[in-house]
DNA sequence: GTCTATAAATGGATAGAC
DNA sequence: GTCTATCCATTTATAGAC
């Protein structure tokens, strides 16, 4: 990790984000020091502050990027689908969610575990993005209920239950394990489909 | 919070556990100092160490008590049920889980968020208890599959998915809100039932 | 842009008086 | 059993040399 002195603005910035993501996910925001991050990046502590005003803004930028990414990716995916078929939309949402989140376990971990460590202002911003993402699922469920394709007692609770269930994947899935990504997707989609129908 | 000097061994011990549970749940283990705990309890820092050897053992005792409690409570509940009816067992498991966890949101929060902050030895102990609890659900599912009452692709994944879904309740439920506890129980049970059948 | 050195605050834990 | 005082390590963040 030792770095000879010199200017590396093009690589240090991204490396800080990448290292912080890994360390925050593994040990938790409060348990990781700026010195640990600097060491792993390969610079001294002072250098970090050329790229960020403080530790809090580092956490926020990681969480904000993740939420922006997931929203943008889903909207791109949604654009390729028939907007009038809630069953197709729901299947793609479930599969998309698992695929997207399993590719970014560290970011997902942070997004759901470090909400407490955001400042009130930052919390409000992230919370708004989360609500927006939940809204995507809820409107699919509502549309399905209106078309009498889905049967469920409460679309708000179902939204939260489905997302909680899907998020659980990242707590246990390890690539190269007993099941392939496709099998995991299929198993979860099977449960979601049945839970919202007859 | 001020406390006059004197001996209070009977109340200080339990108060430390109660206060630590609240503070750890709200701010996270790493973000809470022993000084904060002492202040909230109404003693000085030094006094805490009459009741615990270090901060880590405080976290462990909270998590260990919670896991022992949930296992004991479920076994008591199970003893009143017909062991040969997986459908009845599953419904009671789902309802029990929601009821028990919603009555202890702080303990649940800690049990699922602070695993990273346990020492390796303590982590192994808590993990064993969690696996034991998951095993209770999985054996219900396996029995139901054997009796051809349940239809599911993978009992291990289904176990984790159901628990993740049920745990999600504590992230949003607030008593006195739109739905009663009974309605929440019924809604979740409805989803679980459908997810593991036809 | 990075380094070294340091400020100023806070952390866990302990010793000894009462 | 609790308090006060303190040790010692570590924290975030900054200042100024290169």
């Amino acid at each position: 990790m030792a770095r000879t002195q010199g200017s590396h603005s093009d690589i240090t910035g991204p490396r800080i984000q990448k290292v912080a993501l890994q360390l925050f996910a593994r040990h938790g925001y409060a348990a990781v020091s700026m010195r640990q991050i600097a060491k792993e990046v390969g610079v001294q502590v002072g250098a970090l502050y050329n790229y960020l005003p403080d530790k809090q803004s580092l956490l926020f930028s990681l969480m904000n990027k993740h939420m922006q990414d997931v929203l943008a990716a889903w909207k791109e995916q949604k654009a390729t689908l028939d907007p009038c078929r809630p069953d197709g939309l729901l299947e793609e949402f479930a599969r998309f969610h698992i695929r997207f989140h399993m590719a970014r376990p560290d970011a997902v971990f942070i997004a759901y575990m470090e909400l407490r460590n955001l400042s009130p202002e930052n919390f409000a911003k992230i919370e708004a993005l989360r609500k927006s993402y939940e809204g995507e699922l809820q409107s699919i469920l509502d549309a399905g209920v209106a078309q009498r394709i889905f049967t469920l007692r409460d679309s708000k609770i179902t939204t939260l239950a489905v997302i909680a269930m899907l998020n659980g994947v990242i707590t246990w899935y390890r690539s190269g394990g007993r099941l392939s990504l496709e099998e995991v997707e299929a198993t979860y989609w099977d449960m979601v489909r049945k839970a919202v129908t007859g």
Side-chain angles (χ1 to χ4, degrees), chain A residues 122-182:
Chain A
N122 288 340
F123 178 81
K125 291 177 196 163
I126 299 296
E127 198 61 7
L129 293 169
R130 285 188 51 170
K131 288 264 199 284
S132 170
Y133 186 65
E134 291 172 4
E136 293 290 318
L137 174 55
Q138 189 171 355
S139 57
I140 293 171
L141 294 177
D142 285 335
V145 169
Q147 291 187 24
R148 302 192 188 282
I149 295 172
F150 299 155
T151 306
L152 43 87
R153 296 173 62 109
D154 187 293
S155 76
K156 182 67 187 163
I157 293 187
T158 305
T159 295
L160 297 169
V162 167
I163 289 180
M165 187 176 84
L166 296 177
N167 279 343
V169 178
I170 63 147
T171 64
W172 60 265
Y173 184 83
R174 297 292 172 270
S175 61
R178 179 168 63 91
L179 296 167
S180 71
L181 177 53
E182 166 55 31

Side-chain angles (χ1 to χ4, degrees), chain A residues 87-148:
Chain A
D87 50 345
L89 286 168
L90 183 60
E91 174 164 4
E92 275 318 302
F93 184 91
R95 289 181 179 274
F96 161 83
H97 187 95
I98 289 178
R99 225 180 302 128
F100 191 89
H101 284 60
M102 297 219 330
R104 296 158 183 78
D106 287 346
V108 177
F109 226 70
I110 292 171
Y112 283 86
M113 303 273 280
E114 302 296 354
L115 288 166
R116 294 178 299 188
N117 288 309
L118 288 171
S119 69
E121 305 78 32
N122 288 340
F123 178 81
K125 291 177 196 163
I126 299 296
E127 198 61 7
L129 293 169
R130 285 188 51 170
K131 288 264 199 284
S132 170
Y133 186 65
E134 291 172 4
E136 293 290 318
L137 174 55
Q138 189 171 355
S139 57
I140 293 171
L141 294 177
D142 285 335
V145 169
Q147 291 187 24
R148 302 192 188 282

Side-chain angles (χ1 to χ4, degrees), chain A residues 9 17 23 25 32 36 48 51 60-61 65 71-72 81 85 89 99 109 115-116 121 162 183 190 193:
Chain A
S9 74
Q17 304 276 323
L23 290 177
V32 173
Q36 274 179 272
L48 297 181
Y51 299 90
F60 174 71
S61 81
K65 180 182 183 329
L71 274 166
L81 304 171
R85 301 222 16 192
L89 286 168
R99 225 180 302 128
F109 226 70
L115 288 166
R116 294 178 299 188
E121 305 78 32
V162 167
E183 286 169 318
D190 187 54
R193 179 182 56 76

Side-chain angles (χ1 to χ4, degrees), chain A residues 48-61:
Chain A
L48 297 181
Y49 291 88
N50 290 320
Y51 299 90
L52 42 93
D54 51 33
K55 192 184 175 188
Q56 167 71 205
S57 76
L58 180 53
L59 176 63
F60 174 71
S61 81

Side-chain angles (χ1 to χ4, degrees), chain A residues 64-74 96 100 104:
Chain A
N64 188 52
K65 180 182 183 329
H66 174 69
M67 294 309 301
Q68 302 285 359
D69 284 353
V70 69
L71 274 166
W74 166 243
F96 161 83
F100 191 89
R104 296 158 183 78

